[in-house]
Amino acid sequence: MAIVQVSSDAANTFNVRYSAPFGGLYVSNPETEASMAIIKNEVGDAAWKKGFTGTKGDSVSSRIRARAKELGITPIAVTGRVTNARVVMKEMDDGRQQAYLQVTLTDEDSRTYLSVGAGSQGAQMLIRKLVSAQPGAECELNMFATYGQNKTSGKWFAEHGASFKQGGVEVKGVDPRISLAPQVQAAEAALKAAGIDDKETLSKRRQKVTFDYHLALMEEVAQRFQAWYDEQHQSEHVPASHSEGGQGEEGAGGYDEDQIPVF
């Protein structure tokens, strides 16, 4: 099995999603999605949209976790050989196009598809780690949330992250402080030089630069996985692109494309 802690009736194929208010990965199937819908209805749409609020006390996320456990849903990690990683565009119900990070893990008896909005903080951390991933090698993948307090402002905030291990060692990701921060700073400087300095415009520009940066990283990652796949199958008659399907939708309570971390 490629799933840690959770079993499923879906024969040999698993779809995995990330939920922000739940703060973890879970196996997505009709039963678990129905349970997540029940939980969302119980806590209310407004509370659900606040995202992760920690697991201590009577926080919304604590109640979500407890109720999910009653319904048989617990946070999971996934393991297997990482055989594909790419970004795909999906059309939403309102007609918008949204980018999703899709990662495929394979083992002897199952295949697992992770799909998460590429604009989310956790997905972008995972993208930076996938730059150094070894295609075809065994891995352990997890996505999670933490909750902490800003020492200066005193405000509480959530952070969403990802762990990606190969050979039992955490894969070191690209450092955004070195490669991304200068691009963000340059974009801000250009706007200010043009006399544009309102917070909303500057924030949207930071988001766009950050999003485009991670998409560019994933283009390189996808090309590397495609080259590996072609090498593995060079003697076989296979299509030029190894589209591997999967559910291709973001988890309940996940991020929209415009919810991108800023620097």
Side-chain angles (χ1 to χ4, degrees), residues 96-116:
R96 291 183 303 118
Q97 293 288 317
Q98 185 164 330
Y100 284 88
L101 170 64
Q102 293 188 344
V103 182
T104 304
L105 277 63
T106 307
D107 64 15
E108 293 181 358
D109 59 8
S110 65
R111 180 170 291 175
T112 302
Y113 300 103
L114 166 68
S115 182
V116 60

Side-chain angles (χ1 to χ4, degrees), residues 60-156:
V60 173
S61 290
S62 178
R63 287 187 279 128
I64 288 172
R65 286 279 187 99
R67 187 71 172 104
K69 187 175 182 180
E70 290 178 356
L71 297 175
I73 304 171
T74 57
I76 64 168
V78 292
T79 63
R81 294 185 302 109
V82 56
T83 54
N84 197 9
R86 58 180 182 160
V87 167
V88 298
M89 300 301 297
K90 296 290 181 181
E91 184 171 345
M92 310 306 291
D93 291 339
D94 60 5
R96 291 183 303 118
Q97 293 288 317
Q98 185 164 330
Y100 284 88
L101 170 64
Q102 293 188 344
V103 182
T104 304
L105 277 63
T106 307
D107 64 15
E108 293 181 358
D109 59 8
S110 65
R111 180 170 291 175
T112 302
Y113 300 103
L114 166 68
S115 182
V116 60
S120 71
Q121 189 180 33
Q124 292 182 348
M125 179 180 287
L126 180 55
I127 286 171
R128 297 194 297 271
K129 291 176 179 291
L130 287 170
V131 171
S132 302
Q134 181 181 350
E138 292 286 336
C139 75
E140 179 179 337
L141 190 160
N142 195 9
M143 297 184 71
F144 50 83
T146 58
Y147 198 64
Q149 187 176 27
N150 185 294
K151 294 181 180 180
T152 302
S153 67
K155 294 182 178 180
W156 289 83

Side-chain angles (χ1 to χ4, degrees), residues 214-232:
H214 286 92
L215 287 188
L217 289 181
M218 273 309 299
E219 287 181 6
E220 299 176 9
V221 171
Q223 289 172 6
R224 191 155 49 82
F225 271 87
Q226 184 66 56
W228 168 81
Y229 181 86
D230 290 343
E231 182 179 352
Q232 298 296 308

